């Protein structure tokens, strides 16, 4: 305050101050005859209204300086006073604000210091607390338990009550801390994502109140295990609902803690378990083929190449050929192995690395293969919807989900082409009708599947648009014994076929595809040493999960997605 008074005190000015309405400048003027001001207000302000010698003014069009008229001086003085008052008020307000901030800070500091004196101890006279995970809490209602986990949500209600929603990976638990328990240093500095251990008794919440599981932990003692940062470095500043998708992918290790993302990954785990149970019950053996290979299955353009002890190797695109080698050894086989595709596709359903569930069966017909794919999908989805845990998670993510029933629509490729043309869907490249032999790209395929809105087993694709190992049908050599299973919202989730099994036919197929058979000797041997009609399929696990959990992209359906430009975390 003293500084402000001083600033405003008047210092006597003993020289005349010059004002020139025409040539003067309020910005650069100095009030001298050489550098006059432009306005009387600025002239008066420059002297802090303390000129003893007075002001000289040269009006527009005049030649000579004259004493500033009394009315003009009065007006300028008034203006000066008003500006002074305003400045003083602002200065006082600023000083009060700084003082308020300082007081607030001091108050917070005082509270923190005070809180350090609040010490809580476990009451040893209480029954010993049983350590439980959140998914097992129901069995312990009314009993004293101890639960550890992450602070998922945090809310203080006044000074005497604090709510924590605890997350431990198995579920969520509402916990209430009362009185002294929410006044400790740890309580008033607690942050989201800190880890804590809470002791207390589990009580049913009164009717009309909501809490996960219908109960809450009334805490009697608690400890912080590790504190997550607050302020700028707080987890909510790293990722939140507004974050850009690329930020969400970079921070996926934190995003995974969210309710929906963890639910998707749990559905994924339960789905893989359901598939394994299905295969176990129906007599398949699980095998684990290598990922480092020297052959390709689905065309050379999508191979990831890598040096391998002085030789060339690739990351596998599909385990199919290896599964075929297992038929004579273990009968029906399946695998859940990563497959890699170096596609530069930035679509909702392409990954560079995906979990590939593949199965292979001997002595089957094409009709058997279609029935097997349908039966597997229907049985696995029913299993997921019958199990309370997976059902709840799927309906949380996809409330309208209904399990598909047996009797999938079967449609030949040729009829899909007709369907597209009848529905006015044109080829993207030239706007013309689709022709027999065209590949059906993702967007028309999706339009058709979404319009029909039921699972479609799309069959009999022309040989040239499919892989070299697919046999032509007996009735029509232009089409193959091949199938894609299309699901609404995703499109293709399964691709399968019968395999060329006669030796010469296979050698001819390799030749047509321009593939040198030398590194495939182990595969061509299969058609030599006791061959048989056989077939199989591959299912994209992420696409299956995207379908049942209604995710926009397969990138949300795996732990750490890999796609062009993304190999982290
Ligand atoms: O149709 P695809 O390429 O078939 C094969 O690889 C066969 N060798 C499988 C077999 O018969 N054993 O791939 C099968 C499935 C597709 O239907 C799709 O669900 C998934 O694998 N898939 C992908 N998923 C995510 N990202 C990609 N880039 C995928 N490529 C294929």
């Amino acid at each position: 305050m003293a500084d402000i008074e001083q600033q405003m005190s008047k210092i006597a000015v003993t020289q005349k101050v010059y004002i020139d309405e025409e040539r003067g400048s309020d910005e650069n003027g100095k009030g001298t005859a050489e550098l006059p001001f432009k306005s009387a207000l600025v002239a008066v302000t420059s002297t802090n209204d303390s000129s003893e010698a007075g002001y000289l003014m040269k009006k527009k069009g005049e030649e000579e300086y004259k004493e500033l008229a009394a009315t003009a001086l009065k007006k300028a003085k008034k203006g000066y006073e008003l500006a002074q008052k305003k400045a003083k008020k602002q200065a006082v307000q600023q000083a009060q604000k700084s003082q308020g901030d300082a007081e607030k800070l001091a108050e917070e500091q005082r509270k923190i210091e005070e809180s350090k004196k609040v010490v809580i101890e476990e009451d040893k006279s209480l029954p010993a607390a049983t350590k439980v995970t959140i998914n097992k809490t129901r069995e312990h209602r009314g009993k004293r338990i101890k639960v550890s986990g992450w602070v998922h949500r945090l809310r203080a209600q006044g000074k005497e009550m604090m709510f924590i929603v605890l997350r431990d990976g198995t579920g969520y638990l509402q916990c209430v801390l009362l009185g002294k328990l929410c006044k400790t240093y740890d309580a008033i500095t607690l942050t989201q994502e800190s880890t804590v251990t809470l002791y207390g008794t589990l009580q049913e919440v009164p009717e009309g109140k909501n809490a996960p599981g219908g109960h809450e932990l009334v805490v009697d003692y608690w400890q912080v295990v590790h504190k997550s940062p607050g302020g700028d470095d707080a987890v909510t500043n790293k990722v939140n609902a507004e974050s850009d998708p690329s930020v969400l992918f970079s921070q996926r290790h934190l995003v995974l803690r969210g309710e929906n993302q963890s639910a998707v990954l749990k559905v994924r785990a339960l789905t893989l378990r359901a598939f394994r149970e299905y295969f176990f019950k129906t007599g398949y053996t699980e095998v684990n083929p290598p990922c480092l290979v020297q052959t390709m299955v689905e065309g050379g353009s999508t191979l990831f190449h890598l040096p391998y002890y002085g030789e060339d190797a690739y990351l596998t695109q599909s385990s199919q050929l290896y599964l075929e080698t297992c038929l004579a050894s273990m009968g029906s086989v399946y695998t859940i192995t990563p497959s890699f595709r170096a596609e530069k596709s930035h679509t909702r359903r392409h990954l560079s690395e995906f979990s590939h569930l593949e199965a292979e069966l001997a002595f089957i017909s094409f009709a058997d293969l279609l029935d097997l794919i349908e039966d597997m999908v229907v049985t696995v989805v029913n299993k997921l919807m019958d199990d309370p845990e997976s059902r709840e998670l799927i309906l949380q993510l996809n409330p309208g989900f209904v399990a598909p029933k047996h009797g999938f629509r079967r449609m030949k490729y040729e009829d899909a082409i007709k369907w597209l043309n009848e529905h006015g869907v044109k080829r993207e490249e030239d706007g013309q009708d689709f022709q027999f032999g065209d590949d059906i790209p993702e967007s028309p395929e999706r339009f058709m599947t979404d319009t029909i809105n039921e699972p479609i087993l799309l069959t009999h694709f022309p040989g040239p648009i499919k892989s070299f190992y697919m046999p032509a049908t007996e009735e029509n050599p232009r089409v193959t014994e091949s199938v894609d299973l299309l699901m609404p919202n995703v499109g293709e989730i399964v691709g399968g076929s019968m395999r060329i099994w006669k030796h010469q036919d296979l050698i001819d197929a390799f030749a047509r595809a321009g593939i040198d058979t030398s590194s495939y000797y182990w595969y061509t041997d299969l058609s030599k040493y006791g061959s048989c009609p056989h077939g199989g399929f591959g299912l994209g696990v992420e696409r299956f999960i995207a379908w049942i959990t209604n995710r926009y992209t397969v990138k949300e359906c795996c732990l750490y997605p890999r796609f062009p430009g993304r190999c982290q975390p």
Side-chain angles (χ1 to χ4, degrees):
M1 287 293 276
D3 279 356
I4 302 160
E5 299 288 0
Q6 213 171 353
Q7 256 179 31
M8 296 198 164
S9 71
K10 297 176 179 184
I11 301 155
V13 175
T14 49
Q15 274 164 6
K16 294 261 186 211
V17 182
Y18 288 78
I19 308 158
D20 185 332
E21 266 190 352
E22 212 159 6
R23 289 187 308 105
S25 163
D26 284 345
E27 289 77 39
N28 305 320
K30 291 211 157 52
T32 57
E34 296 75 35
L35 291 169
F37 291 122
K38 194 176 185 72
S39 72
L41 175 62
V42 170
V44 171
T45 307
S46 77
T47 67
N48 279 336
D49 190 18
S50 62
S51 172
E52 285 176 358
Y55 304 88
L56 291 176
M57 156 78 105
K58 188 160 37 162
K59 287 197 168 177
K60 258 184 202 154
E62 289 180 356
E63 293 287 310
E64 304 272 309
Y65 279 102
K66 290 184 191 144
E67 206 63 44
L68 184 64
T71 45
L73 181 61
K74 201 171 159 196
K75 197 174 157 204
K77 279 172 179 272
K78 191 102 193 132
Y80 167 75
E81 267 167 35
L82 275 175
Q84 286 302 297
K85 269 192 194 150
K86 203 170 157 193
K88 201 166 177 177
K89 198 170 161 195
Q90 273 176 355
V92 170
Q93 276 172 348
Q94 184 57 41
Q96 278 169 346
K97 189 175 173 298
S98 310
Q99 195 186 359
D101 286 352
E103 276 168 15
K104 225 166 145 188
L105 208 71
E107 172 64 11
E108 267 168 29
Q109 206 52 47
R110 193 188 60 73
K111 264 196 203 155
I112 286 177
E113 289 312 315
E114 196 107 308
S115 72
K116 286 182 185 165
K117 293 183 210 142
V118 183
V119 179
I120 53 168
E121 265 174 60
E122 189 179 1
D123 181 351
K124 296 290 177 202
S125 69
L126 291 171
T130 314
K131 183 179 172 188
V132 291
T133 51
I134 294 174
N135 59 343
K136 296 281 184 325
T137 43
R138 182 168 277 272
E139 304 150 31
H140 295 264
R141 274 200 187 166
K143 304 209 185 90
R144 188 158 184 267
I145 57 167
K146 125 178 166 182
V147 202
S148 298
W150 288 259
V151 176
H152 189 62
R153 273 196 290 273
L154 183 64
R155 182 166 60 87
Q157 198 166 297
K159 288 182 182 162
E160 299 288 330
M161 198 184 240
M162 193 165 117
F163 288 100
I164 292 174
V165 174
L166 191 72
R167 183 189 76 238
D168 74 346
T170 74
Y172 302 89
L173 179 66
Q174 179 167 297
C175 309
V176 54
L177 284 75
L178 299 166
K180 210 173 163 188
L181 293 178
C182 50
K183 292 179 182 164
T184 61
Y185 175 74
D186 281 341
I188 67 168
T189 57
L190 193 62
T191 47
Q192 215 173 302
E193 291 306 320
S194 294
T195 41
V196 292
T197 298
L198 305 168
Y199 299 68
T201 311
L202 204 58
Q203 287 181 4
E204 216 171 311
V205 288
E207 210 154 303
K209 290 213 167 166
N210 258 342
H215 50 219
E216 66 184 5
L217 187 73
V218 180
V219 177
D220 59 52
Y221 176 65
W222 71 291
Q223 289 165 324
V224 165
V225 178
H226 179 255
K227 216 169 260 174
S228 182
D232 288 348
D233 209 17
V235 72
T236 41
N237 284 333
K238 293 205 127 185
V239 275
N240 54 51
E242 278 82 50
S243 300
D244 191 74
S246 73
V247 172
L248 295 177
F249 285 124
S250 293
Q251 302 297 327
R252 191 154 166 83
H253 54 297
L254 299 175
V255 171
L256 295 181
R257 301 177 182 205
E259 281 161 43
N260 283 345
Q261 266 312 302
S262 64
V264 171
L265 293 177
K266 281 185 184 176
V267 169
R268 183 185 160 108
L270 293 166
T271 302
L272 292 179
R273 188 178 81 183
F275 271 114
R276 285 202 161 93
E277 276 172 17
Y278 172 83
F279 285 126
F280 179 70
K281 278 200 184 136
T282 45
Y284 291 71
T285 298
E286 180 166 358
V287 293
N288 308 109
C291 286
L292 292 168
V293 300
Q294 289 189 314
T295 48
M296 55 105 169
V297 191
E298 298 301 325
S301 64
T302 67
L303 281 173
F304 277 108
H305 174 254
L306 68 148
Y308 187 80
Y309 306 115
E311 288 184 59
D312 285 326
Y314 312 102
L315 294 176
T316 184
Q317 294 169 310
S318 159
S319 299
Q320 177 196 321
L321 307 189
Y322 290 107
L323 293 191
E324 290 183 55
T325 67
C326 297
L327 295 176
S329 161
M330 285 166 274
S332 303
V333 284
Y334 79 97
T335 189
I336 305 174
T337 300
S339 278
F340 303 85
R341 304 277 167 101
E343 289 169 279
K344 293 248 160 59
S345 321
H346 289 273
T347 78
R348 293 156 62 168
R349 65 181 199 188
H350 282 94
L351 290 164
S352 304
E353 174 180 351
F354 66 97
S355 288
H356 207 172
L357 183 151
E358 293 179 275
E360 198 70 25
L361 301 101
F363 300 108
I364 57 162
S365 67
F366 183 46
D368 294 336
L369 179 68
L370 302 187
D371 290 344
L372 279 161
I373 294 172
E374 178 179 317
D375 184 60
M376 174 188 72
V377 171
V378 171
T379 311
V380 166
V381 176
N382 277 329
K383 194 169 177 46
L384 289 170
M385 294 309 277
D386 287 345
D387 174 83
E389 189 187 358
S390 42
R391 181 188 173 81
E392 192 183 324
L393 290 165
I394 291 170
L395 294 180
Q396 170 196 329
L397 297 160
N398 188 3
F401 185 70
V402 181
K405 292 196 173 59
H406 273 293
F408 286 2
R409 179 192 285 254
R410 296 178 185 204
M411 190 184 208
K412 287 188 171 154
Y413 161 88
E414 199 181 349
D415 295 323
I417 295 290
K418 273 193 207 136
W419 190 99
L420 292 172
N421 291 338
E422 279 164 14
H423 287 78
V425 185
K426 303 288 179 196
R427 293 197 297 215
E428 203 188 6
E429 60 277 19
D430 57 7
Q432 298 296 310
D433 272 0
F434 280 92
Q435 302 286 322
F436 183 91
D438 286 343
D439 202 7
I440 304 177
E442 182 171 337
S443 144
E445 178 197 279
R446 185 181 232 124
F447 173 73
M448 183 179 82
T449 320
D450 290 354
T451 309
I452 294 173
N453 199 24
E454 56 180 275
I456 303 168
L457 283 162
L458 190 62
T459 62
H460 298 88
F461 292 88
I465 61 166
K466 283 291 181 183
S467 305
F468 74 92
Y469 53 76
M470 297 189 181
T473 63
E474 265 180 31
E475 316 78 63
N476 179 359
R478 291 176 75 204
V479 296
T480 53
E481 291 185 318
S482 51
V483 57
D484 282 357
L485 174 61
L486 313 180
M487 286 300 182
N489 275 334
V490 186
E492 180 197 333
I493 64 164
V494 175
S497 77
M498 296 302 287
R499 324 298 190 193
I500 293 175
W501 60 282
K502 293 182 181 151
H503 189 68
Q504 195 50 51
D505 291 350
L506 189 62
I507 299 300
D508 293 346
F510 271 109
R512 272 197 306 277
I515 305 170
D516 173 9
T517 50
S518 57
S519 37
Y520 291 81
Y521 68 94
W522 50 273
Y523 184 68
T524 51
D525 266 2
L526 301 178
S527 59
K528 228 162 107 182
Y529 296 96
S531 192
C532 70
H534 63 282
F537 58 87
L539 174 144
V541 172
E542 291 78 11
R543 291 192 189 179
F544 186 88
I545 304 296
W547 166 54
I548 56 174
T549 62
N550 193 27
R551 292 301 95 185
Y552 176 74
T553 162
V554 290
K555 293 170 191 159
E556 288 180 55
C557 300
C558 52
L559 198 57
Y560 290 107
R562 297 290 180 252
F563 52 91
R566 167 73 51 193
C567 206
Q568 258 194 336

